[in-house]
Amino acid sequence: DAGITQSPRHKVTETGTPVTLRCHQTENHRYMYWYRQDPGHGLRLIHYSYGVKDTDKGEVSDGYSVSRSKTEDFLLTLESATSSQTSVYFCAISVLLAVTTNTGELFFGEGSRLTVL
Amino acid sequence: AQSVTQLDSHVSVSEGTPVLLRCNYSSSYSPSLFWYVQHPNKGLQLLLKYTSAATLVKGINGFEAEFKKSETSFHLTKPSAHMSDAAEYFCVVSALALRNAGNMLTFGGGTRLMVKP
């Protein structure tokens, strides 16, 4: 257990509304990631963070923004939700000693299920 | 570029019989390879990983996988299935570097394992 908490765990919203998902970790890990999970696609990286105020895009970043103002919190925002963003969203952290030693092992939260009507 | 193909979206076995979940990968770099398991409504948990040491890798709960470079495969096996093994399994390759954040993970589409009594 890497002390990762996601909120909300379930949310139903309407097209065009803003949505923010929160990932909170308790162990001061530097690297945090947001993935979305869709049937047949596995998990795909949306955005990631390598420190406070340091973020970058993943492979499916369109329509999403992130912020990290504190080490422990990584927020994912959908400025104007669309039905194609209906998905399960996972936050993850990696435990690293240095960037060059990262082999890719991640620890995941339990997911946030978002439905956009 | 890197990619992962899980050859079966669903596998059904009887309790006590062997399990084989197939995975092929492609990568331009020397990859690290992983298998993750996801139980219903849960996050992903690491089963095992290959990082260029022994080609036969043992993981938790009796699972193992063999890295075969000539076949670009990393199949997951278990000699005897248990009811608690019913879950979704993801093969993952890690080779491309994310800017400032270690390696990028690319997930296969997942294989749902069903275990019949």
Side-chain angles (χ1 to χ4, degrees), chain A residues 20-106:
Chain A
T20 294
L21 305 179
R22 179 184 183 231
C23 178
H24 178 79
Q25 55 130 334
T26 59
E27 299 182 0
N28 281 329
H29 297 298
R30 180 178 172 189
Y31 299 91
M32 300 183 74
Y33 307 79
W34 275 108
Y35 285 84
R36 61 178 287 172
Q37 182 180 24
D38 303 290
H41 291 276
L43 275 71
R44 293 176 292 175
L45 182 64
I46 306 171
H47 282 277
Y48 63 97
S49 170
Y50 46 97
V52 173
K53 298 193 189 315
D54 292 323
T55 65
D56 208 341
K57 296 178 180 180
E59 60 181 306
V60 290
S61 59
D62 287 348
Y64 302 95
S65 62
V66 290
S67 65
R68 191 156 177 214
S69 59
K70 299 184 291 185
T71 298
E72 59 265 35
D73 288 326
F74 190 31
L75 303 181
L76 177 71
T77 297
L78 291 65
E79 300 289 349
S80 178
T82 67
S83 59
S84 65
Q85 294 176 310
T86 292
S87 186
V88 182
Y89 291 86
F90 285 96
C91 176
I93 62 99
S94 61
V95 178
L96 303 175
L97 296 178
V99 171
T100 55
T101 63
N102 177 22
T103 59
E105 179 177 352
L106 298 182

Side-chain angles (χ1 to χ4, degrees), chain B residues 45-68:
Chain B
Q45 179 189 13
L46 182 68
L47 262 185
L48 51 80
K49 62 181 177 182
Y50 165 78
T51 56
S52 76
T55 56
L56 183 61
V57 181
K58 294 188 185 299
I60 60 172
N61 299 333
F63 283 94
E64 61 181 40
E66 186 171 8
F67 174 69
K68 292 186 176 181

Side-chain angles (χ1 to χ4, degrees), chain B residues 11-47:
Chain B
V11 169
S12 181
V13 300
S14 298
E15 191 174 21
T17 65
V19 175
L20 170 64
L21 305 183
R22 298 181 294 164
C23 172
N24 287 110
Y25 72 91
S26 87
S27 174
S28 304
Y29 308 91
S30 296
S32 296
L33 292 158
F34 307 79
W35 277 97
Y36 281 83
V37 60
Q38 183 182 30
H39 288 94
N41 300 312
K42 295 292 186 182
L44 281 73
Q45 179 189 13
L46 182 68
L47 262 185

